[in-house]
Amino acid sequence: MPGCLSYIVARDATEADALWITEVWDGPASHQSSLELPKVRAAIAKGRPLIAGFSQRVETVPLGGYGIPRPAGG
C-alpha cells in the first residue's frame, strides 16, 4: 500500500477475542488515501460485521525503529 511502512495484526495476550492492529504510515495523507482504494473499502466492508467494537484508538508519532525512517529534526 503506498505510504504504509508497517502493518501488524497481533492477538491480545490477555483477551482471547481481541486483536491489535498497528499501522505506521509516512503521513496522514497516505493513510487517508488508502481508505479510498476499492480493495481497502471492500476489505473494510467484509470485516465490519466481524468487529464487535473499537474499545480504544491510540495515535502515536514513531521516532524510529527497524524499517522506520527517523522524522526530520528527530
Side-chain angles (χ1 to χ4, degrees), residues 1 3-5 14 16-20 24 27-28 31 37-38 41 44 46 48-49 51-53 57 60 66:
M1 194 94 37
C4 184
L5 304 175
T14 59
D17 293 332
L19 294 175
W20 287 88
V24 179
H31 179 245
L37 296 172
R41 294 178 72 81
I44 291 171
K46 186 176 180 180
R48 194 166 299 278
I51 300 169
R57 179 177 187 267
T60 62
Y66 183 77

Side-chain angles (χ1 to χ4, degrees), residues 18-69:
L19 294 175
W20 287 88
I21 311 296
T22 304
E23 303 174 35
V24 179
W25 292 87
D26 64 2
S30 292
H31 179 245
Q32 190 59 43
S33 292
S34 77
L35 297 175
E36 301 302 321
L37 296 172
K39 284 186 176 184
V40 173
R41 294 178 72 81
I44 291 171
K46 186 176 180 180
R48 194 166 299 278
L50 303 173
I51 300 169
F54 293 97
S55 61
Q56 72 187 94
R57 179 177 187 267
V58 178
E59 194 166 320
T60 62
V61 177
L63 298 177
Y66 183 77
I68 307 297

